[in-house]
Amino acid sequence: MAALLEARQVEARYGWTKVLHGVTFAVAEGGITTVLGANGAGKTTALRAVCGMVETSGEICFDGRRIDGRATEDIARLGIAHAPEGRGTFVGLTVEENLWLGAYARRDRTRLADDFERVYHYFPMLRERRRQRAGTLSGGEQQMLAVARALMLRPRLLLLDEPSLGLAPLVVREIFRIVRAINRDERVSVLLVEQNASLALDLADQAYLLETGRVAIAGPAADLRRDDAIRRSYLGY
Amino acid sequence: MDVFLQQVVSGLATGGIYASLALSLVMIYQATDVVNFAQGEMAMFSTYLAWSMLNRGAPYWVAFVLTVTIAFVGGLAIERLIIRPVEQAPVLAIVIVTLGLLVIFNSVAGWLYSYIIQPFPSPFPRAPIRIGRVVFGPHDLGVIGVTLVMLVLLWLFFRFTSLGLALRAAAQNPAGSRLVGIRVGWMLALGWGLAALIGAVAGMMVAPIIFLEPNMMSGILIYAFASATLGGFTSPGGAVLGGFLVGVIENLAGTYVRFIGTDLKLTLALLVIIVVLLVKPSGLFGQAVVRRV
Ligand SMILES: Nc1ncnc2c1ncn2[C@@H]1O[C@H](COP(=O)(O)OP(=O)(O)O)[C@@H](O)[C@H]1O
Ligand SMILES: [Mg+2]
């Protein structure tokens, strides 16, 4: 399978502090890649690097074109939707307005009504709450809104930063089920950052383990699942 | 009772002007956390532009539309050329820059147009309007009409257009806005442009009442601050309501409370600021801002 996103030897820094030290990863067209790692390993920074939200060096290609060094808003316009850490929802705006904004960068806005129907189909509770301010939603609902908003872009690549964080297991399973459906039915490629290795490895086909800014292990998700070191430290059995 | 109604109406007229200027302060404050101290002088300068067009024989509404357009473009340019380079600087530095702009606009206006007080025409008919036994000033009614139309148009723009939505989003959450493809830098510039436009309208509406001179807006700006503080610096609607309230309170107090008269009216505005800051710092409609440190 051809790679939709390829990051080669990416370094990233916040001011003087270098956080990623030459990280290489890829997302296949139509695939799901997961980046695992403990708190502070640099997972969020890896997603920020893709979106041009941090200073980087190295090479990042999307669909064969270099995107490193480009402005975040231009990268979004290429069809990369990012549901960031902390969810990035506009808490002062209504659910519906958040979804509108998700489609802001799209060139064709003709079938917007269809897209609202589509995300309300995945997340029925968003339809009920569409006039409510996003800040009044529960944590799980806000996470669903973040994913729904990302979908409004009709993205080719979906970046998800720890969608399971702080949510009840049932809610997490529901979100992962929807991500799988989106990937299968709409061929949206996914780059999923997670601390919950067990769930992420079930979903992904390709996986990377980050340790303090370096890729420690990379390979097919099924292989990582069997890896003893990962089983011991991240899967807990 | 008649006097009361008259004073309320003329209070609403000046209140509309405070409301407009308070709204432009709040718009920039919400987007950038910066209070633009030059807002009043920008309005004054725009009014001088209108004045020189009128002097060259331009019809009033032509001069009005041209001035508003120039003010919009000028506000946009100020953000791009002067504020943008210091965007990353501490808020205090940006505030100092706006104070610098205040001084520059003030002295350039004095140098170009002198400090001599000039009359500025009202576009509304002269004859007083009688409703029952009460007589209203036509300029007062006109100002109320113009400000209300402008406020409603702004509300429609922010509420129902996708650009207006993007502006609100950029003000609330710049990082999240970039992720959905909003060009946040341009949204800030647009905010400055709109604020300058609103200020220009306020300037042209107030000039027939207080006359035209380079310092004309300094008192008005303090009232605008009082209004924004009263309504809440985080609430555009609150700032507008605060403006009308301050206008009416000012007028009624000046009329009915003997010792206030016209001399102490400005002190009243400062009193409003202080009392609100003491009692409810976030204003009547504002939300307390929680900052993580
Ligand atoms: N905005 C920032 N400024 C400075 N350092 C940061 C910033 N964000 C993250 N870091 C640091 O970068 C490292 C990696 O963080 P992050 O990418 O958020 O890790 P993860 O998402 O895997 O928990 C951490 O040591 C963290 O302290
Ligand atoms: Mg993280």
Side-chain angles (χ1 to χ4, degrees), chain B residues 116-129:
Chain B
I116 296 166
I117 293 180
Q118 308 281 357
F120 190 91
S122 163
F124 308 110
R126 287 267 167 80
I129 293 166

Side-chain angles (χ1 to χ4, degrees), chain A residues 5-25:
Chain A
L5 180 81
E6 270 190 289
R8 273 183 230 106
Q9 291 300 320
V10 171
E11 305 192 331
R13 61 186 74 240
Y14 295 102
W16 294 106
T17 335
K18 200 197 269 185
V19 169
L20 296 182
H21 310 269
V23 172
T24 297
F25 59 90

Side-chain angles (χ1 to χ4, degrees), chain B residues 16 20 141-154 240 244:
Chain B
S20 307
L141 293 179
V143 170
I144 295 174
V146 167
T147 29
L148 284 183
V149 167
M150 179 174 76
L151 294 174
V152 167
L153 287 177
L154 280 168
V240 166
F244 283 110

